[in-house]
Amino acid sequence: MDDATTTDIRLREGSSIAQRLIVAGCAAAVALCFTPGLLTHDILEIIISVVALLVGAGFVVGIMVAPAVVWIITPNEILIGRQSPFGKLRTRIVAKDDVTALQVPGSKRVKARFQLVFTLASGERLTSPPIADVTHVRDTVARIAAQFEVPNVEEPVNPLDASNPEMQLGEPLEPFPARDIRIVSLIAVALSALPYAYKLWRGWPPSHVDILLLPLGVLAAFAVHRYANLLTGAFWVIRQADIRVERLWGDGSLRTDHIEGRDVKTITVERRGRSEDEHCIVVIRLHSGRRFRSPRIGSRIEARAVGTEIVRRLGIGAESNKI
């Protein structure tokens, strides 16, 4: 869906029945793993099993009854449809004259996710599903504000908007403070030496495991000191004709790579995490064999919008576009 170019703006929220069944089945399977505890005579195990089954059942019910929501925003009204998997479709129409204000707050969980909040003449506030095309949020908001004649709508701050000369994915990188790295390293050494010291304090002979933990703790401390900054991730700056990818070396110094359209073999959208609603990224493979994974974007639809804008800015050929 292209929110910026279609006549009506359509916003959707809610997983399909197939996705719900998969997630609910996984939750039920985990909950059922605790059922053997019900057959024991241990009160604690029985309580844990009952709580796990109740939590699992609640999770399954919550997933299956969550409604799917569709908003269709036309120049004169907003049509809202809401349907539960096992219920009837409920619709509501909000006339243009009922809208008195519009706000576009960003999401706290996903940086580049925006929803429309309409304030009606009655004082009621309606929150829309997320705007799918995160690269045209400003155009979409400006268009809706003009259609509904809503004044003084604050322009959303969107690092992924196509109107920005530089689109930004992720956060600017900063190395971990040296003091924090030293503290974590000392904690690793202390934890590895704790069993050995406890055995000596009690006058017991240390076991082979206690002795083995000592060099492992030193290795862990060295790894933290040497490679902690590699965990800071990446920061992408998407410009016209190239992408600047910033990462940190282990010592905290900045490493910069540049990606141009002619270097790209394929560009795809992949899931990296538990859910397609929040954990999708853009993956770029170069002809040299190197692969670059973007910071987390959001849903698959949002990641596709970002990937499409990258294809446009870099001039990537159709044969390389696998989005």
Side-chain angles (χ1 to χ4, degrees), residues 165-167 237-244 258 310 313-314:
E166 293 185 347
M167 296 169 55
V237 180
I238 306 165
R239 302 176 292 193
Q240 196 67 33
D242 84 309
I243 300 175
R244 186 174 77 245
H258 291 270
I310 291 175
R313 290 198 175 199
L314 269 60

Side-chain angles (χ1 to χ4, degrees), residues 220-241:
F222 174 78
V224 170
H225 186 271
R226 185 70 178 84
Y227 301 110
N229 287 310
L230 298 179
L231 302 178
T232 53
F235 177 58
W236 284 28
V237 180
I238 306 165
R239 302 176 292 193
Q240 196 67 33

Side-chain angles (χ1 to χ4, degrees), residues 146-205:
Q147 289 177 353
F148 286 78
E149 299 177 358
V150 182
N152 305 322
V153 178
E154 185 176 352
E155 187 177 79
V157 178
N158 181 16
L160 291 177
D161 209 280
S163 61
N164 299 333
E166 293 185 347
M167 296 169 55
Q168 297 180 355
L169 263 177
E171 298 288 345
L173 303 178
E174 293 184 1
F176 290 115
R179 176 175 173 270
D180 293 349
I181 293 179
R182 287 196 296 269
I183 290 175
V184 174
S185 300
L186 290 175
I187 291 175
V189 172
L191 289 176
S192 65
L194 186 61
Y196 185 86
Y198 179 75
K199 292 286 183 65
L200 291 181
W201 178 66
R202 296 298 300 267
W204 299 341

Side-chain angles (χ1 to χ4, degrees), residues 44-300:
L44 180 60
E45 288 192 18
I46 293 175
I47 293 175
I48 293 175
S49 300
V50 171
V51 171
L53 289 173
L54 291 176
V55 171
F59 193 71
V60 171
V61 172
I63 293 172
M64 296 307 298
V65 302
V69 181
V70 177
W71 279 39
I72 302 177
I73 303 175
T74 71
N76 299 312
E77 62 187 15
I78 304 172
L79 175 61
I80 302 174
R82 180 184 296 268
Q83 184 175 24
S84 298
F86 308 105
K88 294 182 179 180
L89 174 65
R90 293 182 296 167
T91 61
R92 177 181 179 181
I93 296 177
V94 179
K96 171 182 176 180
D97 296 336
D98 291 339
V99 177
T100 60
L102 172 62
Q103 295 176 312
V104 192
S107 171
K108 295 181 179 180
R109 291 185 305 171
V110 183
K111 186 176 181 181
R113 178 171 292 176
F114 299 88
Q115 294 174 286
L116 305 169
V117 179
F118 292 89
T119 303
L120 307 185
S122 62
E124 182 182 4
R125 291 165 63 90
L126 298 176
T127 302
S128 76
I131 298 175
D133 190 350
V134 293
T135 61
H136 290 91
V137 174
R138 291 175 186 163
D139 289 344
T140 301
V141 172
R143 177 181 162 194
I144 294 173
Q147 289 177 353
F148 286 78
E149 299 177 358
V150 182
N152 305 322
V153 178
E154 185 176 352
E155 187 177 79
V157 178
N158 181 16
L160 291 177
D161 209 280
S163 61
N164 299 333
E166 293 185 347
M167 296 169 55
Q168 297 180 355
L169 263 177
E171 298 288 345
L173 303 178
E174 293 184 1
F176 290 115
R179 176 175 173 270
D180 293 349
I181 293 179
R182 287 196 296 269
I183 290 175
V184 174
S185 300
L186 290 175
I187 291 175
V189 172
L191 289 176
S192 65
L194 186 61
Y196 185 86
Y198 179 75
K199 292 286 183 65
L200 291 181
W201 178 66
R202 296 298 300 267
W204 299 341
S207 65
H208 296 295
V209 175
D210 300 328
I211 297 174
L212 181 62
L213 286 176
L214 296 176
L216 290 179
V218 175
L219 289 176
F222 174 78
V224 170
H225 186 271
R226 185 70 178 84
Y227 301 110
N229 287 310
L230 298 179
L231 302 178
T232 53
F235 177 58
W236 284 28
V237 180
I238 306 165
R239 302 176 292 193
Q240 196 67 33
D242 84 309
I243 300 175
R244 186 174 77 245
V245 180
E246 297 181 356
R247 289 175 294 184
L248 295 181
W249 291 107
D251 60 1
S253 60
L254 185 66
R255 171 186 176 181
T256 303
D257 294 291
H258 291 270
I259 303 173
E260 297 183 0
R262 63 174 180 269
D263 302 327
V264 177
K265 180 178 181 180
T266 59
I267 177 171
T268 58
V269 170
E270 298 180 3
R271 183 180 69 183
R272 193 176 189 184
R274 298 163 294 173
S275 169
E276 287 193 359
D277 294 332
E278 295 185 4
H279 296 85
C280 288
I281 61 175
V282 171
V283 178
I284 295 179
R285 294 175 176 82
L286 306 185
H287 292 290
S288 63
R290 297 185 64 187
R291 180 165 57 181
F292 291 87
R293 294 183 176 90
S294 75
R296 190 185 70 178
I297 299 171
S299 69
R300 184 170 291 273

